[in-house]
Amino acid sequence: MRLAIKIVSGIVFSLMLFSIVAQGEETTALEPLKVSLTLRADYTDNRDSLPDGLDEETWDFYVKPRVDWLIDWERSYLDLFYAPSWRYRTDESDTQNEEEWQHDAGLRIEHSTSPGTVLRLDEKFDFTDDPAVSQEEGVVRRNSSYILNRVEVGATHMLSEGWTGDVAVRHMTKQYDEDLVADDSDEDRIDGIVKAIFQATPTLNTYGTVMYSDYSFDDSRGLERDFSSVLLAIGVEQTINPQLSVGASVGVQSQDYDDADIDVDEVPYASVWVQARTIPTTRIRGEVSHGLRDSDVYPFASQEYTDVKASVEWDVLPRVMLGVTGLYRNSDYDDAAPGAATAGDFVGIADGEEDKIIAMGEIAYKLNDRNKISLMHRYEDVDSDVSWDYTKNTTRILYGRSF
């Protein structure tokens, strides 16, 4: 299955590149370069997300330039960016650097081969020491430098009047810089997704989704944590009016583990969301979801989770924006540990739950079209049976300028 997915990825990517090269004479560039600079200062009272009594304070200072290269072809679009950043930490631990260079890079290509077919390629590369690139997800891991690369190739095709098909292949790899961490935390994931969408009315879409995922993890102790996952779901999206839309998806999700001591797991999958706005000042989004996913805690292979997310953005004044975001996640780790795991492999107990709460507030002020400053505060609270409990506060001051 993994080989087949890689072959399909290569074919789609090759066709995309061939089509783009073939239309080279039609290429035009519109304002191809955008340059920006971000200056940032973060203060945290718990540098390494450790329990009370072991927490350490620190300041992190960042200087981050960014260059975007944008090109429009007649039937294609390219967005390429690179953003190196220099970080200085005032109180680093014994295993951390006082100064460090980090890197972000990304690529997006879209190409229309015909009026009803669009090919796409997305790639995102990060070299960072943050335990989670997407902090809203609340992933808890040791604070170590790693490379994270994510690539997706896909195609959308209009099958007939009202019907659209979408096929995508995604690959993610995470490789830690520190060998001791890499031996237990390097991972790979491959997803294959097929989606059929039917536009029943101008404001109502229904769809069906089939997704196969394959996870693999390095493990110095020889524990088998690899597994595959299959998701079958149907969904609906309804635009009630220009300011309000809702959606829901339900199905079943199952996982098959390489470790014979972990039983095949099957749970209901569900996701319900609502999105609203009052033009032009307020944007609201809420979502509740339930399913199976990979573990955030070693040595478990997976978790059954329930997420509740909400966010509000409010343009108080033409130049002032207030934002509030909240996440609650309950993770169930019962019967998800490899059979060969010993008591010494667990931080907590071998069967248990974990609750995460993340709350963020932000105020941003737009000085003019090219300059912006913002102040953000983030609060994390983890109550865990399977790992350690901790709380963490982070305050960020940011200045951004585009040129």
Side-chain angles (χ1 to χ4, degrees), residues 303-317:
Q303 62 175 291
E304 182 177 348
Y305 72 91
T306 300
D307 278 2
V308 181
K309 305 176 185 176
S311 64
V312 179
E313 291 184 348
W314 178 29
D315 297 328
V316 184
L317 296 170

Side-chain angles (χ1 to χ4, degrees), residues 256-332:
D256 187 15
Y257 301 88
D258 286 10
D259 191 316
D261 292 323
I262 307 178
D263 294 334
V264 173
D265 205 0
E266 187 173 289
V267 302
Y269 168 83
S271 177
V272 180
W273 58 266
V274 59
Q275 184 168 294
R277 60 175 181 172
T278 60
I279 300 175
T281 61
T282 306
R283 296 163 295 280
I284 302 171
R285 182 174 176 87
E287 181 178 0
V288 179
S289 57
H290 178 85
L292 289 170
R293 52 161 290 174
D294 55 317
S295 169
D296 294 332
V297 181
Y298 183 88
F300 298 94
S302 65
Q303 62 175 291
E304 182 177 348
Y305 72 91
T306 300
D307 278 2
V308 181
K309 305 176 185 176
S311 64
V312 179
E313 291 184 348
W314 178 29
D315 297 328
V316 184
L317 296 170
R319 294 180 181 271
V320 180
M321 188 277 292
L322 294 178
V324 178
T325 302
L327 164 71
Y328 167 76
R329 172 180 294 164
N330 173 264
S331 301
D332 188 342

Side-chain angles (χ1 to χ4, degrees), residues 30-37 65-71 77-83 105-108 402:
L30 302 175
E31 298 182 0
L33 287 178
K34 292 185 177 180
V35 180
S36 60
L37 175 67
R66 171 169 168 152
V67 177
D68 286 81
W69 185 34
L70 308 172
I71 296 182
Y77 171 79
L78 179 146
D79 182 358
L80 174 67
F81 81 86
Y82 173 57
L107 169 68
R108 179 172 180 84
S402 59

